[in-house]
Amino acid sequence: EKGESKEIVGRLLEHYYEINEGVGVHKSPQLYGAFPTDPYSHTPAGRGAQQPGMTGQVKEDVLSRFGELGVFVKDGCLYFDPCLLRKNEFTVQSRNFHYVDVHMNHHDFSPELGSLCFTYCQVPIIYRLAKENSMVVTNKDKTSTTIEGLNLDAQTSSEIFKRSGEVVNITVYLDETSLK
């Protein structure tokens, strides 16, 4: 946002991923010096999950991941800026994507190769590599709106935040030259 050089931004990205890989869950017990952490690290054996929620590390991983995916909100509008995302995270083999929509219906689909899928407020977001940035928003009435760039308007963002079910999915086309 402050116009730093590509060199400085690139070095920051290298440090970010180096630090991220240093967390225990990403290392073997031999390197970490202990057993890797897990979400229920304080659960007694044979008793099932005893913790009321996720541990701090798991919450941090979830929050960090949305940053890596480039999902942000500014002035009530959702926008995508996947500046931490790496090309090697896009699918190279066929996979199934399962999610639960805002009406608690289960859905499965096989995204195209070269995709990356996740949900935000239970709305599937499908990232695709492309020549330039754009989006296609699909609504429950099966109409689609094409948007130049990666910023949603306030109305569409509000429908997503409210989990109204109006927005069925968003396909985000990312300029592949902007990814590492």
Side-chain angles (χ1 to χ4, degrees):
E1 286 182 9
K2 296 186 181 186
E4 293 294 339
S5 72
K6 286 187 178 189
E7 179 187 349
I8 289 176
V9 171
R11 287 174 46 208
L12 286 170
L13 289 175
E14 287 174 23
H15 287 297
Y16 173 84
Y17 282 109
E18 184 179 329
I19 291 167
N20 190 37
E21 292 301 318
V23 178
V25 75
H26 299 288
K27 290 189 171 186
S28 69
Q30 292 81 11
L31 286 175
Y32 187 65
F35 292 101
T37 57
D38 67 57
Y40 297 101
S41 59
H42 299 101
T43 299
R47 299 258 328 260
Q50 300 294 306
Q51 287 183 292
M54 297 185 287
T55 64
Q57 182 62 53
V58 174
K59 285 184 252 183
E60 185 176 307
D61 288 346
V62 169
L63 293 173
S64 295
R65 188 62 180 147
F66 276 112
E68 291 169 7
L69 291 168
V71 181
F72 301 100
V73 178
K74 186 174 185 178
D75 298 326
C77 295
L78 186 62
Y79 72 98
F80 302 94
D81 182 13
C83 57
L84 295 174
L85 193 59
R86 297 181 279 192
K87 278 186 191 177
N88 67 1
E89 296 196 58
F90 289 76
T91 59
V92 292
Q93 62 186 24
S94 207
R95 294 191 133 159
N96 187 51
F97 183 73
H98 177 85
Y99 71 98
V100 179
D101 69 17
V102 298
H103 304 293
M104 302 307 291
N105 297 314
H106 290 253
H107 299 273
D108 289 284
F109 70 92
S110 295
E112 294 179 42
L113 293 180
S115 298
L116 187 153
C117 303
F118 60 96
T119 59
Y120 186 84
C121 296
Q122 294 178 267
V123 173
I125 310 294
I126 303 125
Y127 278 1
R128 298 275 305 139
L129 298 173
K131 300 278 185 225
E132 58 185 38
N133 293 330
S134 66
M135 294 186 285
V136 175
V137 177
T138 304
N139 296 311
K140 69 178 178 185
D141 65 3
K142 302 203 188 309
T143 61
S144 295
T145 305
T146 301
I147 299 167
E148 290 184 27
L150 301 175
N151 299 302
L152 291 175
D153 60 43
Q155 178 62 36
T156 304
S157 298
S158 176
E159 295 298 334
I160 293 168
F161 300 148
K162 291 188 305 188
R163 299 175 190 246
S164 68
E166 185 61 36
V167 177
V168 175
N169 67 53
I170 302 172
T171 302
V172 179
Y173 295 94
L174 299 171
D175 178 353
E176 62 185 313
T177 62
S178 67
L179 301 174
K180 304 286 179 226

